C-alpha cells in the first residue's frame, strides 16, 4: 500500500509544482491571473516544449517578469503577446499563426500521417498480392491431391 501511495505522489507532485517564484507574483490578483494566462501561451525558448509558466529556465523567468512588467505598465493581453512575439518571433508562441513562414510547421503532421497511411496501405496490398500469387494452379492442386491419396493408401510415387 505504501508503494502505491508513494508512486501516486511521485506522479502527481511534479504536476503541482509551478515555476513561478513568489517574488514574481503580482500583488493585484487580476493582473496575476492575466499574467498566468499569457504565460501559458508562450513557449520557453530553452525548453521548447514547455510554456514559460511551468519552466524553471532562466530565460522563462525573464519572460515571465517581462509579461508582468508590461501588464503593470497597462498593456492588454494582446499587446503583451504582440510585444514578445515581435522580439522573439513565431517560435515563442505555443500556437504560432498560420502564415507562409509557418505553413510547413502546420502541415507537416498531416503530410506525415498521409505518408504513413499510404505506406501501410501499399504494404498490405503487396502482402495480399503475394498471397494470391502463391496460390497453386488447378494442375498443381490435382497432382498434390493425387499424391496425398496415394500416401493415405500406403503407396509411394
Amino acid at each position: 500500500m505504501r508503494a502505491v501511495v508513494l508512486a501516486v505522489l511521485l506522479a502527481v507532485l511534479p504536476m503541482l509544482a509551478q515555476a513561478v517564484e513568489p517574488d514574481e507574483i503580482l500583488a493585484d490578483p487580476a493582473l496575476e491571473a492575466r499574467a498566468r494566462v499569457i504565460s501559458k501561451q508562450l513557449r520557453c525558448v530553452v525548453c521548447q516544449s514547455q510554456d514559460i509558466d511551468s519552466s524553471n529556465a532562466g530565460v522563462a523567468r525573464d519572460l515571465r517578469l517581462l509579461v508582468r512588467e508590461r501588464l503593470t505598465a497597462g498593456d492588454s493581453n494582446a499587446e503583451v503577446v504582440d510585444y514578445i512575439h515581435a522580439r522573439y518571433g513565431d517560435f515563442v508562441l505555443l500556437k504560432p499563426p498560420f502564415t507562409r513562414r509557418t505553413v510547413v510547421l502546420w502541415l507537416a503532421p498531416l503530410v506525415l500521417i498521409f505518408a504513413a497511411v499510404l505506406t501501410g496501405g501499399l504494404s498490405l496490398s503487396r502482402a495480399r498480392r503475394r498471397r494470391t500469387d502463391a496460390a497453386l494452379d488447378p494442375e498443381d492442386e490435382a497432382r498434390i491431391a493425387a499424391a496425398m491419396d496415394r500416401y493415405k493408401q500406403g503407396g509411394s510415387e
Side-chain angles (χ1 to χ4, degrees), residues 108-123:
L110 296 175
V111 170
L112 290 174
I113 289 170
F114 177 74
V117 168
L118 183 66
T119 302
L122 289 174
S123 295

Side-chain angles (χ1 to χ4, degrees), residues 49-106:
S49 63
Q50 228 177 354
D51 59 59
I52 65 170
D53 196 56
S54 57
S55 172
N56 289 319
V59 173
R61 176 182 165 82
D62 293 343
L63 285 172
R64 288 192 303 267
L65 291 172
L66 180 59
V67 165
R68 285 162 174 76
E69 177 185 307
R70 300 300 302 177
L71 287 173
T72 305
D75 286 1
S76 69
N77 289 15
E79 289 172 330
V80 173
V81 171
D82 289 344
Y83 178 80
I84 292 175
H85 179 229
R87 290 180 88 186
Y88 292 94
D90 290 332
F91 183 75
V92 78
L93 302 175
L94 279 174
K95 293 182 182 174
F98 190 84
T99 63
R100 278 187 287 145
R101 290 187 355 224
T102 62
V103 71
V104 172
L105 175 69
W106 284 100

